[in-house]
Amino acid sequence: MTARIARRGALLGAAALLSAPAIAQARWPSRPIRIITPWPPGGSLDSLQRTMFDIVSRDLGVSIVSENMPGARGTRAAMFLKQQAQPDGYTLAHHHLSILRHPFLTRQPTWDPVTDFTYIMQLSGFLFGTVVRNDSPHRTLADVFAAARARPGQVSYSTSGIATTNHLAMEDLCLRERVEMLHVPFRGAQEGVTALLGRQIDMIADAQAWRPQVENGDFRLLSVWTRTRLPSFPDAPTLNELGYGMSVTSPYGFVGPRGLPPEIVDRLHQSFRKAMQDEASQAVMRRWEMPDEYLGPAEYLAFAQERTAYERETVARLNLSID
């Protein structure tokens, strides 16, 4: 009897040992989480994300590996999620409106903007503006358009890529003004700053990587694309005030690959939300005057569904293509 009990105890002990790895593997996260951003480092986005990632790392107890993957009009992160990432919560990406628009701009197969990603949390948006050098003869945005009207195709502006939200906004403005400007696309807003400093372009039409140069007097801010004027640049008019009846923020957030388990989505959302609400992150948002565009998983997915329909219609209406 005693021997049988001993054997049974040994078998139970062995079973417990065999099940231990499975239990350990079930714990998430147990290794570093990789978050891919499809833009070069620098500017407001980089500052906010890196601040948040430090907080998320402490909250989840693992390292957050931030990787910049610029190029291909900001689509490389989405392509990686679609083609290579596993739905295990260890590879995520910064997500933006161009990802919703891109499939309708090309005949090549890409992704379904709604079903091929798992929406975790919408975070903020870009503060766009038009900027020239301080020694430029153009004192207003109207001056730039007047010069473009006098010299068709010669006055240049930069954006962070072809068919990005700010590029389309500029095309809309040029159409309304009946002018032709030279578009110079870069991999990110910071490259436009370098080009303007080097006098390689006439104007930036992009996110606020230009802010330090405006603050130190190297650049002049001609317009902002927010709904209201910025407290830090009260003299810069909005596009609404200039009579265009438009504001552009291009909200962005975090997504994972298709099929990310709901419990991991929930845990990531909780951690990202905690990081966003932290005073360190709020200080960055105040510093850069970044809009609060927070949406939880369900709301972010609903936004993606609605916005995808809008992007499809807009691309068709404007007959846009990158092929």
Side-chain angles (χ1 to χ4, degrees):
M1 183 72 173
T2 303
R4 286 199 301 270
I5 293 174
R7 285 196 298 272
R8 181 179 299 174
L11 290 171
L12 290 172
L17 288 173
L18 288 172
S19 65
I23 293 172
Q25 290 171 7
R27 178 188 174 276
W28 182 93
S30 60
R31 54 187 172 88
I33 297 172
R34 178 188 188 189
I35 303 182
I36 304 170
T37 299
W39 314 115
S44 60
L45 170 65
D46 189 61
S47 179
L48 177 58
Q49 287 195 162
R50 289 184 182 277
T51 300
M52 288 182 60
F53 293 166
D54 286 343
I55 300 166
V56 171
S57 177
R58 295 194 297 269
D59 184 54
L60 296 180
V62 297
S63 298
I64 303 298
V65 180
S66 178
E67 179 178 347
N68 294 91
M69 194 179 286
R73 297 171 296 279
T75 63
R76 291 185 63 200
M79 287 190 286
F80 189 91
L81 287 190
K82 166 69 173 174
Q83 298 172 1
Q84 300 184 50
Q86 298 299 311
D88 54 13
Y90 291 106
T91 305
L92 311 174
H94 165 95
H95 205 62
H96 54 98
L97 289 190
S98 292
I99 305 304
L100 307 185
R101 180 183 310 121
H102 185 80
F104 312 117
L105 292 165
T106 176
R107 292 187 297 271
Q108 301 298 318
T110 52
W111 52 75
D112 185 301
V114 176
T115 62
D116 279 336
F117 305 103
T118 301
Y119 286 81
I120 300 170
M121 191 182 92
Q122 184 167 282
L123 172 61
S124 181
F126 293 102
L127 194 167
F128 293 110
T130 50
V131 175
V132 296
R133 288 179 56 93
N134 198 40
D135 57 6
S136 167
H138 310 312
R139 310 295 300 184
T140 66
L141 189 58
D143 290 343
V144 175
F145 289 138
R149 197 171 291 111
R151 297 184 289 122
Q154 296 183 47
V155 178
S156 59
Y157 71 92
S158 72
T159 72
S160 47
I162 296 172
T164 52
T165 299
N166 45 316
H167 175 214
L168 295 190
M170 275 300 300
E171 290 294 329
D172 189 3
L173 291 174
C174 288
L175 181 64
R176 298 186 195 198
E177 290 288 343
R178 295 183 174 83
V179 299
E180 179 186 349
M181 296 184 68
L182 176 62
H183 175 221
V184 182
F186 289 111
R187 297 183 304 168
Q190 192 62 46
E191 293 187 12
V193 170
T194 302
L196 188 58
L197 285 170
R199 303 179 187 275
Q200 297 169 334
I201 56 174
D202 297 303
M203 185 176 76
I204 295 171
D206 216 326
Q208 58 174 320
W210 38 257
R211 177 184 282 268
Q213 285 72 30
V214 173
E215 291 174 337
N216 68 21
D218 289 337
F219 293 169
R220 181 186 306 122
L221 182 60
L222 302 183
S223 72
V224 292
W225 298 4
T226 45
R227 295 176 182 85
T228 59
R229 291 199 184 200
L230 302 179
S232 59
F233 303 119
D235 295 331
T238 67
L239 294 180
N240 277 321
E241 291 177 302
L242 293 176
Y244 297 111
M246 59 190 288
S247 60
V248 183
T249 61
S250 192
Y252 57 78
F254 300 110
V255 300
R258 179 178 184 172
L260 199 59
E263 59 272 18
I264 292 181
V265 173
D266 182 61
R267 184 69 184 92
L268 284 167
H269 168 241
Q270 291 178 22
S271 191
F272 281 133
R273 181 62 169 152
K274 178 180 178 180
M276 181 181 180
Q277 293 174 326
D278 190 274
E279 175 55 28
S281 300
Q282 290 297 307
V284 173
M285 294 184 72
R286 289 193 299 270
R287 164 72 178 86
W288 293 87
E289 295 175 296
M290 303 169 72
D292 184 340
E293 302 280 5
Y294 165 76
L295 292 175
E299 296 79 10
Y300 194 14
L301 174 60
F303 169 81
Q305 292 170 329
E306 179 180 348
R307 185 72 190 205
T308 294
Y310 169 84
E311 297 292 347
R312 181 191 294 111
E313 294 168 2
T314 300
V315 169
R317 175 170 53 83
L318 298 178
N319 194 30
L320 300 174
S321 174
I322 58 174
D323 289 333

